[in-house]
Amino acid sequence: MIPVKYCVCLFSVALSVARASGGTAGRRVKAGVKEAVFGKMPDGQTVHLYALTNGHGMKVSLTNYGATVVSIVVPDRRGKMADVVLGFDNLAGYLGKDPYFGATIGRYANRIAKGKFKLDRHTYHVPINEPPNSLHGGTRGFDKRVWTTEKVSQNPPQVVFSYLSKSGEEGYPGDLSVKVLYTLMADNALRIDYSAATDTDTVINLTNHSYFNLVGQGNGNILDQEVMINADSFTPINASMIPTGRIRSVEGTPFDFRKLTRIGARINEENKQLELAHGYDDNFILNSSSLKVLAAKAVDPVSGRVLEVYTTQPAVQFYTGNFLDGTIHGKGGKVYEYRSAFTFETQHYPDSPNHRNFPPTELKPGQTYRETTIYKFSALR
């Protein structure tokens, strides 16, 4: 662990960006990374906060608890800064009722049916934490682990987190060594590079679970924000939120986001898939898995903020905060209400280990898992 260079009192300064009402947009500022104490685990282990700033004043705060994105502060069309992701002001919030705000999800993101899968003729059982399925790595997935901070770089602002998931953890086979590299780019993009290696055949599916609201975290619902997803098809689900195995065209359905469309335009239509998920919570199959091709986009007409997503992953889970219910108080005491955020979780398909026609998620010794996702921010003029 990198020594703490800043005292606990700097924590409030580092997170004050989460409630910024003014901004530094348009003024050059010094890029770099500042470190502070974020809190302590019940066993006394210290958890850290890393505040990354680029030359344009965009700020991203990260913590090594769950390799989590705590805040992303970006300007609107007038240069006013706001934090556009949901989260908490301190570690205690993440140790309480936390629906994976900003976390790195693993060993397997999304759902595994009935908490079991076969690999090398052996059936593995993983925790059923969303009956009847396993969700986001189990009871204590990667989001609930303290990661090691391997490296902090100032130019460009970067932080590398690593974690060793031992064989048998949450039921998964193999010692899995994972690294997540966060880089804040000069063009207001947050780049996330994942890598992993194993000593035994295993399965892996990593993603980031940031909840976005381009108006600003805690500032109402996202139904008037517009979304584009570069996907001609999606994977329909059954009553337990597991893919049926079929691939279905988005044509003529509420899932056609190939052009910018209001999130709320069709979310309440009479549609079995929407009813099962209480809104959008669906795996979209991307038409391209390339960092040169736009995978998804979101626009807030009010603030003018724009989010673009580029990824090497084959799919993205679009979720509209259907289970946020106003009982969670986030940064600055903001209440996180129903449908007050959305996610773009770049990923392999849910339950892939149980579907031969889905892209494989197996990782073998000698192979290196590598995936990259870029969240790029800008503003309409």
Side-chain angles (χ1 to χ4, degrees), residues 33 128 163 209 247 325 342:
V33 182
I128 295 174
Y163 179 68
H209 208 298
I247 305 298
D325 59 4
F342 65 88

Side-chain angles (χ1 to χ4, degrees), residues 231-237 242-251 253 255 273 283-287 314-315 348-352 355-359:
D232 292 335
S233 55
F234 72 107
T235 52
I237 55 174
I242 293 294
T244 63
R246 295 173 53 221
I247 305 298
R248 183 177 173 186
S249 171
V250 300
E251 184 75 32
T253 75
F255 304 94
Q273 294 291 300
N283 176 64
F284 289 79
I285 300 172
L286 296 173
N287 293 332
H348 275 62
Y349 305 1
D351 200 37
S352 283
H355 297 272
R356 292 186 178 182
N357 61 318
F358 286 1

Side-chain angles (χ1 to χ4, degrees), residues 209-278:
H209 208 298
S210 288
Y211 286 67
F212 298 100
N213 186 329
L214 296 181
V215 176
Q217 61 95 22
N219 289 341
N221 68 55
I222 40 80
L223 297 181
D224 287 332
Q225 295 175 37
E226 300 170 349
V227 161
M228 186 283 294
I229 303 175
N230 186 12
D232 292 335
S233 55
F234 72 107
T235 52
I237 55 174
N238 62 25
S240 61
M241 300 289 289
I242 293 294
T244 63
R246 295 173 53 221
I247 305 298
R248 183 177 173 186
S249 171
V250 300
E251 184 75 32
T253 75
F255 304 94
D256 190 347
F257 284 96
R258 290 175 293 183
K259 296 181 179 179
L260 275 174
T261 304
R262 275 184 63 249
I263 293 174
R266 299 165 300 189
I267 198 169
N268 294 318
E269 284 189 7
E270 290 187 11
N271 177 281
K272 186 63 175 178
Q273 294 291 300
L274 291 174
E275 291 170 6
L276 289 171
H278 304 283

Side-chain angles (χ1 to χ4, degrees), residues 14-143:
L15 263 206
S16 65
V17 296
R19 295 182 290 276
S21 58
T24 55
R27 292 190 288 115
R28 296 295 298 179
V29 298
K30 185 177 180 181
V33 182
K34 293 184 178 181
E35 180 183 347
V37 172
F38 196 44
K40 289 185 179 294
M41 296 292 291
D43 64 1
Q45 186 175 5
T46 300
V47 172
H48 301 272
L49 183 78
Y50 303 88
L52 287 63
T53 305
N54 70 7
H56 299 293
M58 176 178 170
K59 301 188 180 190
V60 174
S61 293
L62 311 167
T63 178
N64 61 312
Y65 179 76
T68 295
V69 174
V70 175
S71 70
I72 299 178
V73 179
V74 291
D76 67 5
R77 57 161 56 94
R78 297 177 180 83
K80 182 178 180 180
M81 307 294 281
D83 185 356
V84 296
V85 295
L86 277 56
F88 299 102
D89 284 321
N90 50 48
L91 176 62
Y94 293 93
L95 297 178
K97 183 181 179 182
D98 171 27
Y100 307 100
F101 288 148
T104 296
I105 305 296
R107 180 175 305 195
Y108 198 94
N110 219 302
R111 296 172 175 87
I112 292 182
K114 299 179 181 179
K116 64 181 180 180
F117 62 92
K118 284 186 178 181
L119 181 64
D120 300 331
R121 298 182 180 180
H122 181 81
T123 299
Y124 291 93
H125 295 270
V126 293
I128 295 174
N129 60 324
E130 188 195 58
N133 308 311
S134 183
L135 176 67
H136 290 335
T139 307
R140 285 194 67 208
F142 290 0
D143 61 295

Side-chain angles (χ1 to χ4, degrees), residues 113-334:
K114 299 179 181 179
K116 64 181 180 180
F117 62 92
K118 284 186 178 181
L119 181 64
D120 300 331
R121 298 182 180 180
H122 181 81
T123 299
Y124 291 93
H125 295 270
V126 293
I128 295 174
N129 60 324
E130 188 195 58
N133 308 311
S134 183
L135 176 67
H136 290 335
T139 307
R140 285 194 67 208
F142 290 0
D143 61 295
K144 296 178 178 64
R145 306 285 177 169
V146 177
W147 293 54
T148 298
T149 305
E150 280 205 355
K151 183 180 179 181
V152 174
S153 301
Q154 298 295 326
N155 190 20
Q158 291 182 327
V159 178
V160 180
F161 297 122
S162 65
Y163 179 68
L164 176 61
S165 176
K166 300 292 290 184
S167 183
E169 181 180 287
E170 297 298 295
Y172 290 93
D175 283 356
L176 184 74
S177 178
V178 184
K179 290 186 180 182
V180 180
L181 165 62
Y182 286 102
T183 305
L184 179 55
M185 312 294 288
D187 61 353
N188 280 8
L190 177 63
R191 177 176 174 135
I192 309 175
D193 292 290
Y194 305 92
S195 62
T198 183
D199 64 356
T200 303
D201 288 3
T202 191
V203 296
I204 182 172
N205 187 22
L206 303 180
T207 194
N208 179 270
H209 208 298
S210 288
Y211 286 67
F212 298 100
N213 186 329
L214 296 181
V215 176
Q217 61 95 22
N219 289 341
N221 68 55
I222 40 80
L223 297 181
D224 287 332
Q225 295 175 37
E226 300 170 349
V227 161
M228 186 283 294
I229 303 175
N230 186 12
D232 292 335
S233 55
F234 72 107
T235 52
I237 55 174
N238 62 25
S240 61
M241 300 289 289
I242 293 294
T244 63
R246 295 173 53 221
I247 305 298
R248 183 177 173 186
S249 171
V250 300
E251 184 75 32
T253 75
F255 304 94
D256 190 347
F257 284 96
R258 290 175 293 183
K259 296 181 179 179
L260 275 174
T261 304
R262 275 184 63 249
I263 293 174
R266 299 165 300 189
I267 198 169
N268 294 318
E269 284 189 7
E270 290 187 11
N271 177 281
K272 186 63 175 178
Q273 294 291 300
L274 291 174
E275 291 170 6
L276 289 171
H278 304 283
Y280 292 106
D281 191 2
D282 299 274
N283 176 64
F284 289 79
I285 300 172
L286 296 173
N287 293 332
S288 176
S289 299
S290 168
L291 295 181
K292 297 181 180 180
V293 179
L294 184 64
K297 182 177 182 177
V299 177
D300 172 44
V302 176
S303 68
R305 291 189 183 92
V306 178
L307 166 61
E308 296 176 320
V309 182
Y310 301 85
T311 187
T312 58
Q313 300 261 35
V316 60
Q317 187 86 4
F318 175 52
Y319 169 61
T320 48
N322 311 315
F323 294 99
L324 296 174
D325 59 4
T327 61
I328 296 176
H329 291 247
K331 288 173 286 188
K334 292 288 187 72

